[in-house]
Amino acid sequence: MPADAESPVPVESRLRDLRPEASPVEFVARVVACDRREVTRKSDGSRRPLLSGLLSDGTATVRFTWWDPPREGVERGVVLRVVGAEVREFRGRPEVTFSWKTRVGPASAAELPRVDGEELPFRTVGDLRPSDEGFRLEVRVVRIAPKTVTVGTERRVVHEGLVADKTGAIALSSWSDFGLKAGEAVRVAGGYVRAFRGRPQVVLDDRASVVRVDGTDLPDPAQLLAAPPRSIAEVEDEGGGEAVAVEGLVVGLLPPSGIVFRCPTCHRSIRSGICRVHGQVEGQPDLRARIVLDDGTGAVTVNAARGDAERLWGVTLEEAQARLRNQPDPSLIEEQMLEVLLGRRLRVRGVGTRDDFGVTLQPESIERVDIDLDAAAEELSARLGTGR
Ligand SMILES: [Zn+2]
């Protein structure tokens, strides 16, 4: 058989090791994102299909461009074996291109390169950045709970929680059940960081490994969850956080507060019986309070769900509905709620996210803090007087 000097034999690579001079390359990787388009050719105006996106093999994530891809069968989550791809560098990062010379076929997750946890560098929570992967982490599990979600047409269980080390805390989503328990110290290898709703989180799948460690250097979960409240200005500066504690006075409620109606399918609040996803629906009543809490340095919005809203207001959803039947104006319900809550000092712990309107807290706990009434009245009138 004559040797073909024109086409060098591809060597199977890990994405972390891709270099342009190694082209063409062979690798096995999972599609983590993809987007199908058609590009118009300048020469004759014909349309040429193009698939582009991201591939990951647990050692790195690279962009790919695939000219004339198959019509179907390539979607997020699929593992591919690629033989004869070209590597280019764009802004200092490798990218791969599949052409007519490239052979691409399905592969199994077992063919992905083995990520040996022992060779991955140690990172701290504080230095993790979105799209990082190929690291080891030693963290304390602060909390963890299973949740059933729908992915496409499939129901899956994801274990969601919070992990922390001395440098900070980060959300965790594990698609594999590692039997994690709150309080444990673990060494995690083979996870990756993704932004979800604007917040970074560590994602683990069945290729990640989790080992229990003694964790003497790691913070105590009780300590983390009971950290003293910080100033709202600091929380705003940091853009929120995973385990935020603040304390302040209730200075107002934002709409919708009081009785809201939710779509029975997706639980979004609906307007005039219309869910923006499911159309005309039979709304289910719920009680909520969007509390504006001010500590003198700034204000946050606390989204209190039914349990907290009932407890803080001292009125149940059923009682509020009875009031609404006698007095069919929902804004009166909100006013009555505000009357009770205004000026109360609350200590709130939860997850804080920042958007254009400031920081919103999804509370894990809301405690009422007893205060000196005269001092509070003075403080409140001083703050309301500042014209916020
Ligand atoms: Zn809906």
Side-chain angles (χ1 to χ4, degrees):
M1 195 189 286
D4 187 352
E6 295 293 302
S7 42
V9 179
V11 178
E12 189 168 331
S13 311
R14 300 184 301 179
L15 296 185
R16 186 168 69 179
D17 303 326
L18 290 185
R19 301 288 178 270
E21 55 274 20
S23 292
V25 291
E26 172 173 353
F27 58 82
V28 177
R30 189 189 297 275
V31 177
V32 293
C34 66
D35 178 39
R36 191 178 284 270
R37 273 177 297 148
E38 280 196 345
V39 177
T40 306
R41 250 192 266 235
K42 282 210 179 89
S43 52
D44 58 0
S46 65
R47 312 272 286 162
R48 192 175 177 196
L50 172 70
L51 191 70
S52 62
L54 293 172
L55 294 167
S56 167
D57 69 350
T59 69
T61 303
V62 301
R63 279 200 71 79
F64 73 95
T65 304
W66 190 350
W67 292 102
D68 307 310
R71 265 178 221 284
E72 49 193 32
V74 181
E75 54 196 46
R76 202 164 65 91
V78 163
V79 178
L80 301 172
R81 174 175 293 276
V82 178
V83 182
E86 292 299 318
V87 184
R88 296 180 310 157
E89 213 165 60
F90 183 69
R91 294 187 178 143
R93 295 192 61 162
E95 294 189 346
V96 290
T97 306
F98 307 166
S99 67
W100 62 272
K101 283 192 281 188
T102 311
R103 282 179 289 130
V104 185
S108 82
E111 294 172 75
L112 287 163
R114 257 179 58 86
V115 180
D116 182 357
E118 296 305 306
E119 61 180 278
L120 298 176
F122 270 112
R123 305 289 293 276
T124 60
V125 169
D127 34 66
L128 292 180
R129 295 289 171 263
S131 87
D132 275 354
E133 61 191 294
F135 54 81
R136 275 189 288 175
L137 207 57
E138 276 194 10
V139 285
R140 176 83 64 192
V141 180
V142 180
R143 57 167 185 264
I144 189 88
K147 182 179 158 191
T148 305
V149 294
T150 305
V151 181
T153 55
E154 208 186 332
R155 303 276 283 167
R156 292 185 65 186
V157 175
V158 56
H159 299 262
E160 290 190 332
L162 184 70
V163 295
D165 65 13
K166 277 190 289 193
T167 67
I170 189 166
L172 176 88
S173 268
S174 178
W175 293 94
S176 190
D177 186 0
F178 292 104
L180 293 173
K181 290 186 178 55
E184 283 183 323
V186 289
R187 179 181 305 147
V188 173
Y192 52 92
V193 182
R194 288 287 177 272
F196 180 66
R197 292 189 182 141
R199 284 163 40 223
Q201 57 172 217
V202 172
V203 183
L204 305 181
D205 58 24
D206 47 9
R207 303 183 53 244
S209 68
V210 171
V211 181
R212 269 75 189 168
V213 293
D214 76 355
T216 39
D217 284 355
L218 294 169
D220 184 334
Q223 211 179 322
L224 263 163
L225 292 177
R230 302 179 40 232
S231 85
I232 289 175
E234 271 179 297
V235 172
E236 278 177 334
D237 283 348
E238 285 166 16
E242 293 300 330
V244 171
V246 295
E247 190 177 303
L249 298 185
V250 178
V251 297
L253 288 179
L254 292 178
S257 288
I259 294 181
V260 294
F261 289 87
R262 296 192 184 280
C263 170
T265 308
C266 66
H267 305 290
R268 286 183 174 87
S269 67
I270 60 174
R271 270 168 196 245
S272 322
I274 308 283
C275 166
R276 64 184 163 87
V277 175
H278 298 98
Q280 183 99 39
V281 291
E282 182 70 38
Q284 290 176 336
D286 189 13
L287 198 68
R288 68 178 299 189
R290 297 187 64 214
I291 301 167
V292 183
L293 202 68
D294 188 313
D295 73 349
T297 69
V300 292
T301 306
V302 179
N303 277 339
R306 179 177 167 185
D308 284 322
E310 287 182 330
R311 183 172 53 84
L312 293 169
W313 185 20
V315 174
T316 63
L317 172 61
E318 290 74 19
E319 289 162 350
Q321 282 179 278
R323 291 188 190 184
L324 192 62
R325 279 191 287 275
N326 297 330
Q327 185 68 267
D329 177 358
S331 69
L332 289 177
I333 300 287
E334 189 180 323
E335 257 172 52
Q336 290 167 4
M337 187 188 259
L338 179 61
E339 226 165 78
V340 173
L341 296 186
L342 190 68
R344 274 207 195 157
R345 182 179 288 278
L346 302 178
R347 182 176 298 174
V348 182
R349 297 180 190 285
V351 177
T353 48
R354 185 175 59 189
D355 64 15
D356 295 345
F357 303 101
V359 172
T360 299
L361 285 183
Q362 295 302 334
E364 266 143 32
S365 73
I366 304 180
E367 293 162 65
R368 192 172 168 181
V369 182
D370 287 328
I371 45 170
D372 174 339
L373 285 176
D374 293 337
E378 223 167 86
E379 197 182 337
L380 182 66
S381 57
R383 268 181 223 167
L384 294 175
T386 59
R388 294 188 57 88

